[in-house]
Coordinates of all heavy atoms in Angstrom, one line a residue:
M76 N -81.7 -92.0 -60.4 CA -83.1 -91.9 -60.1 C -83.3 -91.2 -58.7 O -82.7 -91.7 -57.7 CB -83.8 -93.2 -60.1 CG -85.2 -93.2 -59.9 SD -85.8 -94.9 -60.1 CE -87.5 -94.7 -60.3
G77 N -84.1 -90.2 -58.6 CA -84.3 -89.5 -57.3 C -85.2 -90.2 -56.4 O -85.8 -91.2 -56.7
A78 N -85.2 -89.8 -55.2 CA -86.0 -90.4 -54.1 C -87.5 -90.1 -54.4 O -87.9 -89.1 -55.0 CB -85.7 -89.8 -52.8
K79 N -88.3 -91.1 -54.1 CA -89.7 -90.9 -54.2 C -90.2 -90.0 -53.1 O -89.7 -90.0 -52.0 CB -90.4 -92.3 -54.1 CG -90.1 -93.2 -55.3 CD -90.8 -94.5 -55.2 CE -90.4 -95.4 -56.3 NZ -91.2 -96.7 -56.3
T80 N -91.3 -89.3 -53.4 CA -91.8 -88.3 -52.5 C -93.2 -88.7 -52.0 O -94.1 -89.1 -52.7 CB -92.0 -86.9 -53.2 OG1 -90.7 -86.5 -53.7 CG2 -92.4 -85.9 -52.2
V81 N -93.3 -88.6 -50.6 CA -94.5 -89.0 -49.9 C -95.1 -87.7 -49.4 O -94.4 -86.8 -48.8 CB -94.2 -89.9 -48.8 CG1 -95.5 -90.1 -47.9 CG2 -93.7 -91.2 -49.3
L82 N -96.4 -87.5 -49.6 CA -97.2 -86.4 -49.1 C -97.7 -86.9 -47.7 O -98.4 -87.8 -47.6 CB -98.3 -86.0 -50.0 CG -99.3 -85.0 -49.4 CD1 -98.6 -83.7 -49.0 CD2 -100.5 -84.7 -50.3
L83 N -97.3 -86.2 -46.6 CA -97.7 -86.5 -45.3 C -98.6 -85.3 -44.8 O -98.2 -84.2 -44.8 CB -96.5 -86.6 -44.4 CG -96.8 -86.7 -42.9 CD1 -97.6 -87.9 -42.5 CD2 -95.5 -86.7 -42.1
V84 N -99.8 -85.7 -44.5 CA -100.8 -84.7 -43.9 C -101.1 -85.1 -42.5 O -101.9 -86.0 -42.3 CB -102.0 -84.5 -44.8 CG1 -102.9 -83.3 -44.3 CG2 -101.7 -84.4 -46.3
E85 N -100.5 -84.4 -41.6 CA -100.6 -84.8 -40.1 C -100.4 -83.5 -39.3 O -99.4 -82.8 -39.4 CB -99.6 -85.8 -39.8 CG -99.4 -86.1 -38.3 CD -100.7 -86.6 -37.7 OE1 -101.2 -87.7 -38.1 OE2 -101.3 -85.9 -36.8
D86 N -101.4 -83.2 -38.4 CA -101.3 -82.0 -37.6 C -100.6 -82.2 -36.3 O -100.2 -81.2 -35.7 CB -102.7 -81.4 -37.4 CG -103.7 -82.3 -36.7 OD1 -103.6 -83.5 -36.8 OD2 -104.5 -81.7 -36.0
D87 N -100.5 -83.4 -35.9 CA -99.8 -83.7 -34.6 C -98.3 -83.6 -34.8 O -97.7 -84.4 -35.6 CB -100.2 -85.0 -34.0 CG -99.6 -85.3 -32.7 OD1 -98.4 -85.7 -32.6 OD2 -100.4 -85.2 -31.7
E88 N -97.6 -82.7 -34.1 CA -96.2 -82.5 -34.2 C -95.4 -83.7 -34.0 O -94.5 -84.0 -34.7 CB -95.8 -81.3 -33.3 CG -94.4 -80.8 -33.6 CD -94.3 -79.9 -34.8 OE1 -95.3 -79.4 -35.3 OE2 -93.2 -79.7 -35.3
L89 N -95.6 -84.4 -32.9 CA -94.8 -85.6 -32.5 C -95.0 -86.7 -33.5 O -94.0 -87.3 -34.0 CB -95.2 -86.1 -31.1 CG -94.4 -87.2 -30.5 CD1 -92.9 -86.8 -30.4 CD2 -94.9 -87.6 -29.2
I90 N -96.2 -87.0 -33.9 CA -96.5 -88.1 -34.9 C -95.8 -87.7 -36.2 O -95.2 -88.5 -36.9 CB -98.0 -88.3 -35.0 CG1 -98.5 -88.9 -33.7 CG2 -98.3 -89.2 -36.2 CD1 -100.0 -89.0 -33.7
G91 N -96.0 -86.4 -36.6 CA -95.4 -86.0 -37.9 C -93.9 -86.1 -37.9 O -93.4 -86.6 -38.9
K92 N -93.2 -85.7 -36.8 CA -91.8 -85.8 -36.8 C -91.3 -87.3 -36.9 O -90.4 -87.6 -37.5 CB -91.2 -85.2 -35.5 CG -91.2 -83.7 -35.6 CD -90.7 -83.1 -34.3 CE -90.7 -81.5 -34.4 NZ -90.1 -80.9 -33.1
L93 N -92.1 -88.1 -36.2 CA -91.7 -89.6 -36.2 C -91.9 -90.1 -37.6 O -91.0 -90.8 -38.1 CB -92.6 -90.3 -35.2 CG -92.4 -91.8 -35.2 CD1 -91.0 -92.2 -34.7 CD2 -93.4 -92.5 -34.2
L94 N -93.0 -89.8 -38.2 CA -93.2 -90.3 -39.6 C -92.2 -89.8 -40.6 O -91.7 -90.5 -41.5 CB -94.6 -90.0 -40.1 CG -95.7 -90.8 -39.3 CD1 -97.1 -90.2 -39.7 CD2 -95.6 -92.3 -39.7
V95 N -91.9 -88.5 -40.5 CA -90.8 -87.9 -41.4 C -89.5 -88.7 -41.2 O -88.9 -89.0 -42.1 CB -90.7 -86.4 -41.1 CG1 -89.4 -85.9 -41.8 CG2 -91.9 -85.6 -41.6
F96 N -89.1 -88.9 -39.9 CA -87.9 -89.6 -39.6 C -87.9 -91.0 -40.3 O -86.9 -91.4 -40.9 CB -87.7 -89.7 -38.1 CG -86.6 -90.6 -37.7 CD1 -85.2 -90.2 -37.8 CD2 -86.8 -91.9 -37.3 CE1 -84.2 -91.0 -37.5 CE2 -85.7 -92.8 -37.0 CZ -84.4 -92.3 -37.0
I97 N -89.0 -91.7 -40.0 CA -89.1 -93.1 -40.6 C -89.0 -93.1 -42.1 O -88.3 -93.9 -42.7 CB -90.3 -93.8 -40.1 CG1 -90.2 -94.1 -38.6 CG2 -90.6 -95.1 -40.8 CD1 -91.5 -94.5 -37.9
L98 N -89.8 -92.2 -42.7 CA -89.9 -92.2 -44.2 C -88.5 -91.8 -44.8 O -88.1 -92.4 -45.8 CB -91.0 -91.3 -44.6 CG -92.4 -91.9 -44.4 CD1 -93.5 -90.8 -44.5 CD2 -92.7 -93.0 -45.3
Q99 N -87.9 -90.7 -44.2 CA -86.6 -90.3 -44.7 C -85.5 -91.4 -44.5 O -84.7 -91.6 -45.4 CB -86.2 -89.0 -44.1 CG -87.0 -87.8 -44.6 CD -86.7 -86.5 -43.9 OE1 -86.1 -86.5 -42.9 NE2 -87.1 -85.4 -44.6
R100 N -85.6 -92.0 -43.4 CA -84.6 -93.1 -43.1 C -84.7 -94.2 -44.2 O -83.7 -94.8 -44.6 CB -84.9 -93.7 -41.7 CG -83.9 -94.8 -41.4 CD -84.4 -95.6 -40.2 NE -85.7 -96.3 -40.5 CZ -86.5 -96.8 -39.6 NH1 -86.2 -96.7 -38.4 NH2 -87.6 -97.4 -40.0
D101 N -85.9 -94.4 -44.7 CA -86.2 -95.4 -45.7 C -86.0 -94.9 -47.1 O -86.4 -95.6 -48.1 CB -87.5 -96.1 -45.5 CG -87.6 -96.9 -44.3 OD1 -86.5 -97.4 -43.7 OD2 -88.7 -97.2 -43.8
G102 N -85.5 -93.7 -47.3 CA -85.1 -93.2 -48.6 C -86.2 -92.3 -49.3 O -86.0 -92.0 -50.4
Y103 N -87.2 -91.9 -48.6 CA -88.2 -91.1 -49.2 C -88.0 -89.6 -48.9 O -87.5 -89.3 -47.8 CB -89.6 -91.5 -48.7 CG -90.1 -92.8 -49.1 CD1 -89.9 -93.9 -48.2 CD2 -90.7 -93.1 -50.3 CE1 -90.3 -95.2 -48.6 CE2 -91.1 -94.3 -50.7 CZ -90.9 -95.4 -49.8 OH -91.3 -96.6 -50.2
Q104 N -88.4 -88.8 -49.8 CA -88.5 -87.4 -49.5 C -89.9 -87.2 -49.0 O -90.8 -87.9 -49.4 CB -88.3 -86.5 -50.8 CG -86.9 -86.6 -51.3 CD -86.7 -85.7 -52.6 OE1 -87.7 -85.2 -53.1 NE2 -85.5 -85.7 -53.1
V105 N -90.1 -86.2 -48.1 CA -91.4 -86.0 -47.5 C -91.8 -84.6 -47.6 O -91.0 -83.7 -47.2 CB -91.4 -86.4 -46.0 CG1 -92.7 -86.3 -45.3 CG2 -90.9 -87.9 -45.8
E106 N -93.0 -84.4 -48.1 CA -93.7 -83.1 -48.1 C -94.7 -83.1 -46.9 O -95.7 -83.8 -47.0 CB -94.4 -82.8 -49.4 CG -95.1 -81.5 -49.5 CD -94.1 -80.3 -49.8 OE1 -93.1 -80.6 -50.5 OE2 -94.5 -79.2 -49.4
W107 N -94.4 -82.5 -45.8 CA -95.3 -82.5 -44.6 C -96.1 -81.3 -44.5 O -95.6 -80.2 -44.4 CB -94.4 -82.7 -43.4 CG -95.1 -82.8 -42.1 CD1 -96.5 -83.0 -41.9 CD2 -94.6 -82.6 -40.8 NE1 -96.8 -83.0 -40.5 CE2 -95.6 -82.8 -39.8 CE3 -93.3 -82.3 -40.3 CZ2 -95.4 -82.6 -38.5 CZ3 -93.1 -82.2 -39.0 CH2 -94.1 -82.4 -38.0
L108 N -97.4 -81.5 -44.5 CA -98.4 -80.4 -44.3 C -99.2 -80.7 -43.1 O -99.5 -81.8 -42.7 CB -99.3 -80.3 -45.5 CG -98.6 -80.1 -46.9 CD1 -99.6 -80.1 -48.0 CD2 -97.8 -78.8 -46.9
K109 N -99.6 -79.6 -42.4 CA -100.2 -79.8 -41.1 C -101.7 -79.4 -41.0 O -102.3 -79.4 -39.9 CB -99.4 -79.0 -40.0 CG -98.0 -79.4 -39.9 CD -97.2 -78.6 -38.9 CE -95.8 -79.1 -38.9 NZ -94.9 -78.3 -38.0
D110 N -102.3 -79.1 -42.2 CA -103.7 -78.8 -42.1 C -104.4 -79.1 -43.5 O -103.7 -79.2 -44.5 CB -104.1 -77.4 -41.6 CG -103.7 -76.3 -42.6 OD1 -104.1 -76.4 -43.8 OD2 -103.0 -75.4 -42.2
G111 N -105.7 -79.3 -43.5 CA -106.4 -79.7 -44.7 C -106.4 -78.6 -45.8 O -106.4 -78.9 -47.0
Q112 N -106.3 -77.4 -45.4 CA -106.3 -76.3 -46.4 C -105.0 -76.3 -47.2 O -105.0 -76.2 -48.4 CB -106.5 -74.9 -45.7 CG -106.7 -73.8 -46.7 CD -107.0 -72.5 -46.0 OE1 -107.1 -72.4 -44.8 NE2 -107.3 -71.5 -46.8
Q113 N -103.9 -76.5 -46.5 CA -102.6 -76.6 -47.2 C -102.6 -77.8 -48.1 O -102.1 -77.7 -49.3 CB -101.4 -76.7 -46.2 CG -101.2 -75.5 -45.4 CD -100.1 -75.8 -44.3 OE1 -99.9 -76.9 -43.9 NE2 -99.4 -74.7 -43.9
A114 N -103.1 -78.9 -47.6 CA -103.1 -80.1 -48.4 C -104.0 -79.9 -49.7 O -103.7 -80.4 -50.8 CB -103.6 -81.3 -47.6
Q115 N -105.2 -79.3 -49.5 CA -106.1 -79.1 -50.6 C -105.3 -78.3 -51.7 O -105.4 -78.6 -52.9 CB -107.3 -78.3 -50.2 CG -108.2 -78.0 -51.4 CD -109.3 -77.0 -51.0 OE1 -109.1 -76.1 -50.2 NE2 -110.5 -77.1 -51.6
E116 N -104.6 -77.2 -51.3 CA -103.9 -76.4 -52.3 C -102.9 -77.2 -53.0 O -102.7 -77.1 -54.3 CB -103.3 -75.2 -51.6 CG -104.3 -74.2 -51.1 CD -103.7 -73.1 -50.2 OE1 -102.5 -73.0 -50.1 OE2 -104.5 -72.4 -49.6
L117 N -102.1 -78.1 -52.3 CA -101.1 -78.8 -52.9 C -101.7 -79.9 -53.8 O -101.1 -80.1 -55.0 CB -100.2 -79.5 -51.8 CG -98.9 -80.2 -52.4 CD1 -98.0 -79.2 -53.1 CD2 -98.2 -80.8 -51.2
V118 N -102.7 -80.6 -53.4 CA -103.3 -81.6 -54.3 C -103.8 -81.0 -55.6 O -103.7 -81.5 -56.7 CB -104.5 -82.3 -53.5 CG1 -105.3 -83.1 -54.5 CG2 -103.9 -83.2 -52.4
L119 N -104.5 -79.8 -55.5 CA -105.0 -79.1 -56.7 C -103.9 -78.6 -57.6 O -104.1 -78.3 -58.7 CB -106.0 -78.0 -56.3 CG -107.3 -78.5 -55.6 CD1 -108.1 -77.3 -55.2 CD2 -108.0 -79.4 -56.6
S120 N -102.7 -78.4 -57.0 CA -101.5 -77.9 -57.8 C -101.0 -78.9 -58.9 O -100.3 -78.5 -59.8 CB -100.4 -77.5 -56.9 OG -99.7 -78.7 -56.5
G121 N -101.4 -80.2 -58.7 CA -101.0 -81.2 -59.7 C -99.6 -81.8 -59.4 O -99.1 -82.5 -60.3
R122 N -99.1 -81.5 -58.3 CA -97.8 -82.2 -57.9 C -97.9 -83.7 -57.9 O -99.0 -84.2 -57.7 CB -97.3 -81.7 -56.5 CG -96.8 -80.3 -56.4 CD -95.3 -80.1 -56.4 NE -94.6 -81.1 -55.6 CZ -94.2 -80.9 -54.3 NH1 -94.6 -79.8 -53.7 NH2 -93.5 -81.8 -53.7
D123 N -96.8 -84.3 -58.2 CA -96.8 -85.8 -58.3 C -96.2 -86.4 -57.0 O -95.1 -85.9 -56.5 CB -95.9 -86.2 -59.5 CG -95.9 -87.7 -59.7 OD1 -96.9 -88.3 -59.5 OD2 -94.9 -88.2 -60.1
F124 N -96.9 -87.4 -56.4 CA -96.4 -88.0 -55.2 C -96.5 -89.5 -55.4 O -97.3 -90.1 -56.1 CB -97.3 -87.7 -54.0 CG -97.1 -86.2 -53.6 CD1 -98.0 -85.3 -54.1 CD2 -96.1 -85.8 -52.8 CE1 -97.9 -83.9 -53.7 CE2 -95.9 -84.5 -52.5 CZ -96.8 -83.5 -52.9
S125 N -95.6 -90.2 -54.8 CA -95.5 -91.7 -54.8 C -96.6 -92.3 -53.9 O -97.0 -93.4 -54.2 CB -94.1 -92.2 -54.4 OG -93.2 -91.7 -55.3
A126 N -96.9 -91.6 -52.8 CA -97.8 -92.1 -51.8 C -98.3 -91.0 -51.0 O -97.6 -89.9 -50.9 CB -97.2 -93.2 -51.0
V127 N -99.4 -91.2 -50.2 CA -99.9 -90.2 -49.3 C -100.2 -90.8 -48.0 O -100.8 -91.9 -47.9 CB -101.2 -89.6 -49.9 CG1 -101.8 -88.6 -48.9 CG2 -101.0 -88.9 -51.2
V128 N -99.8 -90.2 -46.9 CA -100.1 -90.6 -45.5 C -101.0 -89.5 -45.0 O -100.6 -88.4 -44.9 CB -98.9 -90.8 -44.7 CG1 -99.3 -91.2 -43.2 CG2 -97.9 -91.8 -45.2
L129 N -102.3 -89.9 -44.7 CA -103.3 -88.9 -44.5 C -104.0 -89.1 -43.1 O -104.6 -90.2 -42.9 CB -104.3 -89.0 -45.6 CG -105.5 -88.1 -45.6 CD1 -105.1 -86.6 -45.7 CD2 -106.4 -88.4 -46.8
D130 N -103.9 -88.1 -42.3 CA -104.7 -88.2 -41.0 C -106.1 -87.8 -41.3 O -106.4 -87.0 -42.3 CB -104.1 -87.1 -40.0 CG -104.7 -87.2 -38.7 OD1 -105.5 -88.1 -38.4 OD2 -104.4 -86.3 -37.9
L131 N -107.1 -88.3 -40.6 CA -108.5 -88.0 -40.8 C -108.9 -86.7 -40.1 O -109.8 -86.0 -40.6 CB -109.4 -89.2 -40.4 CG -109.4 -90.4 -41.3 CD1 -110.5 -91.4 -40.9 CD2 -109.6 -90.0 -42.8
M132 N -108.4 -86.5 -38.9 CA -108.8 -85.4 -38.1 C -107.8 -84.2 -38.3 O -106.7 -84.3 -37.7 CB -109.0 -85.7 -36.7 CG -110.1 -86.8 -36.5 SD -110.5 -87.2 -34.8 CE -108.9 -87.9 -34.2
L133 N -108.2 -83.2 -39.1 CA -107.3 -82.1 -39.5 C -108.0 -80.8 -39.3 O -109.2 -80.8 -39.5 CB -106.8 -82.3 -40.9 CG -106.0 -83.5 -41.3 CD1 -106.0 -83.7 -42.8 CD2 -104.6 -83.3 -40.7
P134 N -107.2 -79.7 -39.1 CA -107.9 -78.4 -39.2 C -108.3 -78.1 -40.6 O -107.7 -78.5 -41.6 CB -106.7 -77.5 -38.7 CG -105.7 -78.3 -38.1 CD -105.8 -79.7 -38.7
F135 N -109.4 -77.3 -40.7 CA -110.0 -76.8 -42.0 C -110.7 -77.8 -42.8 O -111.9 -77.7 -42.9 CB -108.9 -76.0 -42.8 CG -108.2 -74.9 -42.1 CD1 -106.9 -75.0 -41.8 CD2 -108.9 -73.8 -41.8 CE1 -106.3 -74.0 -41.1 CE2 -108.3 -72.7 -41.1 CZ -107.0 -72.8 -40.8
F136 N -110.1 -78.8 -43.3 CA -110.7 -79.8 -44.1 C -110.3 -81.2 -43.5 O -109.1 -81.4 -43.3 CB -110.4 -79.8 -45.6 CG -110.7 -78.5 -46.3 CD1 -109.8 -77.6 -46.8 CD2 -112.1 -78.1 -46.4 CE1 -110.1 -76.5 -47.4 CE2 -112.4 -76.9 -47.0 CZ -111.4 -76.1 -47.5
D137 N -111.2 -82.1 -43.4 CA -110.8 -83.4 -42.8 C -110.2 -84.3 -43.9 O -110.3 -84.0 -45.1 CB -112.0 -84.1 -42.1 CG -113.1 -84.5 -43.0 OD1 -112.9 -84.7 -44.2 OD2 -114.2 -84.8 -42.4
G138 N -109.7 -85.4 -43.4 CA -109.0 -86.3 -44.3 C -109.9 -87.0 -45.3 O -109.5 -87.3 -46.4
L139 N -111.2 -87.2 -45.0 CA -112.1 -87.8 -45.9 C -112.4 -86.9 -47.1 O -112.5 -87.3 -48.2 CB -113.4 -88.3 -45.2 CG -113.2 -89.4 -44.2 CD1 -114.6 -89.7 -43.5 CD2 -112.8 -90.7 -44.9
F140 N -112.5 -85.6 -46.8 CA -112.6 -84.6 -47.9 C -111.4 -84.7 -48.8 O -111.5 -84.7 -50.0 CB -112.8 -83.2 -47.3 CG -112.8 -82.1 -48.3 CD1 -113.9 -81.8 -49.1 CD2 -111.6 -81.4 -48.5 CE1 -113.8 -80.8 -50.1 CE2 -111.5 -80.4 -49.5 CZ -112.6 -80.1 -50.2
L141 N -110.2 -84.7 -48.2 CA -109.0 -84.7 -48.9 C -108.8 -86.0 -49.7 O -108.4 -86.0 -50.9 CB -107.8 -84.5 -48.0 CG -107.7 -83.1 -47.4 CD1 -106.7 -83.1 -46.3 CD2 -107.5 -82.1 -48.4
L142 N -109.3 -87.1 -49.2 CA -109.2 -88.4 -49.9 C -110.0 -88.3 -51.1 O -109.6 -88.8 -52.2 CB -109.6 -89.5 -49.0 CG -109.6 -90.9 -49.6 CD1 -108.2 -91.3 -50.1 CD2 -110.2 -91.9 -48.6
E143 N -111.2 -87.8 -51.0 CA -112.1 -87.7 -52.2 C -111.5 -86.7 -53.2 O -111.5 -87.0 -54.4 CB -113.5 -87.2 -51.8 CG -114.5 -87.1 -52.9 CD -115.9 -86.7 -52.5 OE1 -116.2 -86.6 -51.3 OE2 -116.7 -86.4 -53.4
L144 N -110.9 -85.7 -52.8 CA -110.2 -84.7 -53.7 C -109.0 -85.4 -54.4 O -108.9 -85.2 -55.6 CB -109.7 -83.5 -52.9 CG -109.1 -82.4 -53.6 CD1 -110.2 -81.7 -54.5 CD2 -108.5 -81.4 -52.7
I145 N -108.3 -86.2 -53.7 CA -107.1 -86.9 -54.2 C -107.6 -87.8 -55.3 O -107.1 -87.9 -56.4 CB -106.3 -87.6 -53.2 CG1 -105.6 -86.7 -52.3 CG2 -105.4 -88.7 -53.8 CD1 -105.0 -87.2 -51.0
R146 N -108.7 -88.6 -55.0 CA -109.2 -89.6 -56.0 C -109.8 -89.0 -57.2 O -109.9 -89.6 -58.3 CB -110.2 -90.5 -55.3 CG -109.5 -91.4 -54.3 CD -108.6 -92.4 -55.0 NE -107.8 -93.2 -54.0 CZ -106.5 -93.3 -54.0 NH1 -105.8 -92.6 -54.9 NH2 -105.9 -94.0 -53.1
N147 N -110.2 -87.7 -57.1 CA -110.8 -87.0 -58.3 C -109.8 -86.2 -59.1 O -110.1 -85.7 -60.1 CB -111.9 -86.0 -57.8 CG -113.1 -86.8 -57.3 OD1 -113.5 -87.8 -57.9 ND2 -113.8 -86.3 -56.3
Q148 N -108.5 -86.3 -58.7 CA -107.4 -85.6 -59.5 C -106.8 -86.7 -60.4 O -106.3 -87.7 -59.8 CB -106.4 -85.0 -58.6 CG -106.9 -83.9 -57.7 CD -107.5 -82.8 -58.5 OE1 -107.0 -82.2 -59.4 NE2 -108.8 -82.5 -58.1
A149 N -106.8 -86.5 -61.7 CA -106.3 -87.5 -62.6 C -104.8 -87.9 -62.2 O -104.5 -89.1 -62.3 CB -106.3 -87.0 -64.0
A150 N -104.0 -87.0 -61.9 CA -102.6 -87.2 -61.6 C -102.4 -88.0 -60.3 O -101.4 -88.7 -60.1 CB -101.8 -85.9 -61.5
M151 N -103.4 -88.0 -59.4 CA -103.2 -88.7 -58.1 C -104.2 -89.8 -57.9 O -104.2 -90.5 -56.8 CB -103.4 -87.7 -57.0 CG -102.3 -86.7 -56.9 SD -102.3 -85.6 -55.5 CE -101.8 -86.8 -54.2
A152 N -105.1 -90.1 -58.9 CA -106.2 -91.1 -58.7 C -105.7 -92.5 -58.3 O -106.4 -93.2 -57.6 CB -107.0 -91.1 -59.9
S153 N -104.5 -92.9 -58.8 CA -104.0 -94.2 -58.5 C -102.9 -94.2 -57.4 O -102.3 -95.3 -57.2 CB -103.5 -94.9 -59.7 OG -102.4 -94.2 -60.3
V154 N -102.6 -93.1 -56.8 CA -101.6 -93.0 -55.8 C -102.0 -93.7 -54.5 O -103.2 -93.5 -54.0 CB -101.2 -91.5 -55.5 CG1 -100.3 -91.4 -54.3 CG2 -100.6 -90.8 -56.7
P155 N -101.2 -94.6 -53.9 CA -101.6 -95.3 -52.7 C -101.8 -94.2 -51.6 O -101.0 -93.3 -51.4 CB -100.5 -96.2 -52.4 CG -99.7 -96.3 -53.6 CD -99.9 -95.0 -54.4
V156 N -102.9 -94.4 -50.8 CA -103.1 -93.5 -49.6 C -103.2 -94.4 -48.4 O -104.0 -95.3 -48.3 CB -104.4 -92.7 -49.8 CG1 -104.7 -91.9 -48.6 CG2 -104.3 -91.9 -51.1
L157 N -102.4 -94.1 -47.4 CA -102.5 -94.7 -46.1 C -103.2 -93.8 -45.1 O -102.8 -92.7 -44.9 CB -101.1 -95.0 -45.6 CG -101.0 -95.6 -44.2 CD1 -101.5 -97.0 -44.1 CD2 -99.5 -95.6 -43.7
I158 N -104.3 -94.3 -44.6 CA -105.1 -93.5 -43.7 C -104.6 -93.7 -42.3 O -104.4 -94.8 -41.8 CB -106.6 -93.9 -43.7 CG1 -107.2 -93.7 -45.1 CG2 -107.4 -93.1 -42.6 CD1 -107.3 -92.3 -45.6
L159 N -104.3 -92.6 -41.6 CA -103.8 -92.6 -40.2 C -104.8 -91.9 -39.3 O -105.0 -90.7 -39.5 CB -102.4 -91.8 -40.2 CG -101.6 -91.8 -39.0 CD1 -101.1 -93.2 -38.6 CD2 -100.5 -90.8 -39.1
T160 N -105.3 -92.6 -38.3 CA -106.3 -91.9 -37.5 C -106.4 -92.7 -36.2 O -106.1 -93.9 -36.1 CB -107.7 -91.9 -38.2 OG1 -108.6 -91.1 -37.4 CG2 -108.2 -93.3 -38.4
S161 N -107.0 -91.9 -35.2 CA -107.3 -92.6 -33.9 C -108.7 -93.0 -33.9 O -109.2 -93.6 -32.9 CB -106.9 -91.6 -32.8 OG -107.7 -90.4 -32.9
K162 N -109.5 -92.6 -34.9 CA -110.9 -93.0 -35.0 C -111.0 -94.5 -35.1 O -110.3 -95.1 -36.0 CB -111.6 -92.3 -36.1 CG -111.8 -90.8 -35.9 CD -112.6 -90.3 -37.1 CE -113.1 -88.9 -36.8 NZ -114.0 -88.4 -37.8
M163 N -111.9 -95.1 -34.4 CA -112.0 -96.6 -34.5 C -113.4 -97.1 -34.9 O -113.7 -98.3 -34.9 CB -111.7 -97.2 -33.1 CG -110.2 -96.9 -32.7 SD -109.0 -97.8 -33.7 CE -109.4 -99.5 -33.3
G164 N -114.3 -96.1 -35.2 CA -115.7 -96.5 -35.5 C -115.8 -97.3 -36.8 O -115.0 -96.9 -37.8
E165 N -116.7 -98.2 -36.9 CA -116.9 -98.9 -38.2 C -117.3 -98.0 -39.3 O -116.9 -98.2 -40.5 CB -117.9 -100.0 -38.0 CG -117.4 -101.2 -37.1 CD -118.5 -102.3 -37.0 OE1 -119.3 -102.5 -38.0 OE2 -118.5 -102.9 -36.0
D166 N -118.0 -97.0 -39.0 CA -118.5 -96.0 -40.0 C -117.3 -95.3 -40.6 O -117.2 -95.1 -41.8 CB -119.4 -95.0 -39.5 CG -120.8 -95.6 -39.1 OD1 -121.1 -96.7 -39.6 OD2 -121.6 -95.0 -38.4
D167 N -116.3 -94.9 -39.8 CA -115.1 -94.2 -40.2 C -114.3 -95.1 -41.1 O -113.8 -94.7 -42.1 CB -114.2 -93.7 -39.0 CG -115.0 -92.8 -38.1 OD1 -115.6 -91.8 -38.7 OD2 -115.0 -92.9 -36.9
I168 N -114.1 -96.4 -40.7 CA -113.4 -97.3 -41.5 C -114.0 -97.6 -42.9 O -113.3 -97.6 -43.9 CB -113.2 -98.7 -40.7 CG1 -112.3 -98.4 -39.5 CG2 -112.6 -99.7 -41.6 CD1 -112.3 -99.5 -38.5
A169 N -115.3 -97.7 -42.9 CA -116.0 -98.0 -44.1 C -115.9 -96.8 -45.0 O -115.8 -96.9 -46.3 CB -117.5 -98.3 -43.8
L170 N -116.0 -95.6 -44.5 CA -115.9 -94.4 -45.3 C -114.6 -94.2 -46.0 O -114.4 -93.9 -47.1 CB -116.2 -93.1 -44.5 CG -117.7 -92.8 -44.2 CD1 -117.8 -91.7 -43.2 CD2 -118.4 -92.5 -45.5
A171 N -113.5 -94.5 -45.2 CA -112.2 -94.4 -45.7 C -111.9 -95.5 -46.8 O -111.3 -95.3 -47.8 CB -111.2 -94.6 -44.6

């Protein structure tokens, strides 16, 4: 059985490298994208992922847009999504 694949959408280079290291160390394959437009294209392609780690503040499309897109794709509707953000407002938390 092959490694499970995690979609990581994070534009910060340092945070992205750290998350890739941690996930790969724990046996996951990682598809790392650095902006919302790339992520939109991949989500719409129908690829299968075991989980998604999603930053909210991204170039082109924000993470909330991508989260809604993910939830509207039949193949990804039940995939666990971990929101990663420096936003701390109650509104941001409630939206996510």
Side-chain angles (χ1 to χ4, degrees):
M76 183 179 197
K79 293 182 178 183
T80 303
V81 173
L82 172 58
L83 170 62
V84 187
E85 171 59 63
D86 62 327
D87 184 281
E88 192 75 19
L89 185 60
I90 293 171
K92 285 181 179 179
L93 177 63
L94 290 170
V95 168
F96 171 79
I97 291 168
L98 290 165
Q99 287 178 341
R100 179 194 66 194
D101 290 341
Y103 293 94
Q104 293 180 354
V105 180
E106 179 82 27
W107 178 18
L108 302 176
K109 298 178 182 178
D110 69 57
Q112 187 173 4
Q113 292 174 331
Q115 178 193 32
E116 292 171 8
L117 188 59
V118 168
L119 292 174
S120 77
R122 288 258 319 265
D123 185 34
F124 292 96
S125 301
V127 178
V128 179
L129 181 61
D130 187 10
L131 288 186
M132 296 185 298
L133 296 163
F135 303 110
F136 300 114
D137 70 18
L139 292 175
F140 170 83
L141 293 170
L142 179 59
E143 184 175 350
L144 186 66
I145 288 166
R146 291 296 175 233
N147 287 325
Q148 300 302 307
M151 294 188 72
S153 64
V154 172
V156 177
L157 175 67
I158 301 293
L159 183 68
T160 187
S161 61
K162 289 185 167 188
M163 296 294 292
E165 287 182 32
D166 291 342
D167 299 312
I168 294 168
L170 282 172

